[in-house]
Amino acid sequence: MRGNSTVLAALNKVLTRKLTAINQYFLHARMFKNWGFNELNERIYKASIKEMKHADEVIERILLLDGLPNLQELGKLYIGEEPKEMLRLDDKLQSEDIRYIRDAISTCEAEKDFVSRHMLAEILEQQEEHQDWLDTQCSLIDTIGIENYLQRQL
Amino acid sequence: MYVCLCKGVTDKQIQRAVDQGARTMRDLRQEFGVGSQCGKCTCCARDVLHDAIHARKEVVHIHVPSPQGQLDVDIAYS
Ligand code: FES
Ligand SMILES: [Fe+2]
């Protein structure tokens, strides 16, 4: 099956975002683990694995469309120095990811590739779940303070 | 935040360097090696550098030597 080049470019863009997120989340998770914040470690580790599963789906889709998945390209990682900053940077990354996925969905729609569109819509749903969780953590930190918040994560 | 992950350079380090006289990307590269490995941090480093310079509220002239804006931005005082 021959894919349209606009769709392939959009899918590769999403792939780059995914590969970047895998690494940012993975490092943040293990930094939390190193500091003893096991809840945060587990949650963010899982988010990283989820990004990898999404990347896998996108890679397979690109191959099916006779394209070449670009695993070379990686965006800049935004790594925080302390928990609050790390969560805030993840929140920012995730909301930008969501924007890219939405753009890719519109591209697929315009190009009438409804299978890719469907795949991205499913990915988007899971993205929004993690975004919600990140939003909640950031506002919780604002409300109860970082010390109280971290106490709960031990 | 780590601006340059390859060299482990944070935004705070860059701000401190500006307080001590750093004004260009070249200064940051010489002092910390910012941007000298993968190069992905140059955009972000430039933003942090310029914000720190502007926060000093001094008059600056910015010369962009390349029309693509790819080169170092030189900043001088008037
Ligand atoms: S992140 Fe600065 S050179 Fe790689
Ligand atoms: Fe994501």
Side-chain angles (χ1 to χ4, degrees), chain A:
Chain A
M1 191 167 140
R2 187 114 202 101
N4 152 317
S5 64
T6 329
V7 168
L8 286 171
L11 290 175
N12 259 320
K13 184 80 67 35
V14 171
L15 178 58
T16 301
R17 301 290 312 184
K18 291 289 167 196
L19 297 174
T20 311
I22 292 170
N23 289 295
Q24 178 164 327
Y25 292 157
F26 207 93
L27 179 50
H28 276 166
R30 286 345 193 188
M31 285 165 77
F32 283 128
K33 186 182 182 189
N34 182 46
W35 293 327
F37 301 124
N38 292 322
E39 299 257 341
L40 287 169
N41 167 44
E42 263 163 53
R43 183 81 201 208
I44 294 169
Y45 170 79
K46 280 189 191 138
S48 175
I49 299 296
K50 212 167 240 179
E51 295 289 353
M52 195 178 292
K53 290 197 172 134
H54 295 161
D56 184 24
E57 284 179 51
V58 176
I59 289 166
E60 289 193 23
R61 182 70 194 152
I62 292 174
L63 288 172
L64 197 79
L65 294 173
D66 264 343
L68 182 62
N70 186 352
L71 276 86
Q72 183 80 71
E73 181 83 11
L74 190 68
K76 183 190 175 336
L77 303 192
Y78 287 87
I79 302 299
E81 294 172 78
E82 32 81 16
K84 187 179 173 180
E85 188 179 42
M86 289 152 73
L87 289 165
R88 195 175 47 76
L89 289 169
D90 282 358
D91 197 26
K92 192 170 153 244
L93 176 90
Q94 190 70 346
S95 48
E96 281 166 15
D97 277 5
I98 287 175
R99 238 192 20 240
Y100 275 93
I101 297 169
R102 290 224 174 93
D103 284 355
I105 287 177
S106 336
T107 304
C108 293
E109 206 160 273
E111 303 296 330
K112 300 194 172 22
D113 179 344
F114 298 110
V115 180
S116 298
R117 189 204 180 284
H118 180 74
M119 174 195 72
L120 290 169
E122 277 184 348
I123 290 176
L124 180 62
E125 209 171 294
Q126 299 182 22
Q127 291 294 287
E128 283 170 339
E129 252 175 61
H130 188 52
Q131 168 93 74
D132 275 351
W133 180 81
L134 285 165
D135 281 345
T136 309
Q137 309 315 299
C138 291
S139 47
L140 200 56
I141 291 171
D142 287 342
T143 321
I144 66 172
I146 187 71
E147 284 81 12
N148 291 327
Y149 175 81
L150 290 175
Q151 205 97 62
R152 297 184 184 184
Q153 311 299 325
L154 289 167

Side-chain angles (χ1 to χ4, degrees), chain A residues 27 31 72-82 85 89, chain B residues 1-5 10-13 40-45:
Chain A
L27 179 50
M31 285 165 77
Q72 183 80 71
E73 181 83 11
L74 190 68
K76 183 190 175 336
L77 303 192
Y78 287 87
I79 302 299
E81 294 172 78
E82 32 81 16
E85 188 179 42
L89 289 169
Chain B
M1 186 189 89
Y2 288 95
V3 172
C4 178
L5 199 57
T10 66
D11 49 358
K12 290 169 203 76
Q13 276 175 287
K40 287 195 192 304
C41 57
T42 36
C43 249
C44 177

